[in-house]
Amino acid sequence: VHVLNCSAYGQTGDPTVTKTHSGSGIILSSVSGGSITWSEAFDNGHLQASHGGGPVGIWAWAASSITIAHCASWNNSCGSGQHDGGGFDLDGGVTNSVMEYNLAFSNAGPGHMICEFEGGGAVICYLLLKQ
């Protein structure tokens, strides 16, 4: 799966859904050998209500050999939730993956995350930050 030159914005999330997050921008999951490049995610997650993991602008989980590069993610939120709301994330079960040359700013959560959730499996990835 290759996501190229896409914009994901205004995905507010559903305030009536509280058992799982809603309102993310671009997500890859159950993919081996995918990429998200030259894409952007902004103004997402502002109404989501989950107090578990929250939405993220651009991220992957349960995937391998993923590249997220040359993207921008800003003004994303966790809504009334307590977690995430960040720009970029390689999360539970991601292996052999890279985030590079990405720009994150004005997010409620971290700009770049490498996280794990219970039962997600090991996260083995590379984070390259360049100024």
Side-chain angles (χ1 to χ4, degrees), residues 56-78:
V56 174
I58 298 175
W59 64 296
W61 68 281
S64 66
S65 302
I66 302 299
T67 298
I68 301 174
H70 304 285
C71 295
S73 186
W74 70 95
N75 201 32
N76 296 294
S77 176
C78 55

Side-chain angles (χ1 to χ4, degrees), residues 20-113:
T20 187
H21 58 83
S22 61
S24 287
I26 301 170
I27 307 169
L28 290 183
S29 180
S30 301
V31 173
S32 179
S35 66
I36 303 170
T37 54
W38 300 106
S39 294
E40 60 186 5
F42 57 94
D43 294 333
N44 297 300
H46 296 281
L47 297 179
Q48 86 90 29
S50 170
H51 287 277
V56 174
I58 298 175
W59 64 296
W61 68 281
S64 66
S65 302
I66 302 299
T67 298
I68 301 174
H70 304 285
C71 295
S73 186
W74 70 95
N75 201 32
N76 296 294
S77 176
C78 55
S80 64
Q82 300 171 348
H83 302 286
D84 298 338
F88 298 92
D89 182 15
L90 295 176
D91 214 312
V94 170
T95 58
N96 301 315
S97 295
V98 177
M99 288 192 285
E100 60 184 351
Y101 310 111
N102 297 305
L103 176 65
F105 60 93
S106 298
N107 294 296
H112 296 83
M113 299 184 287

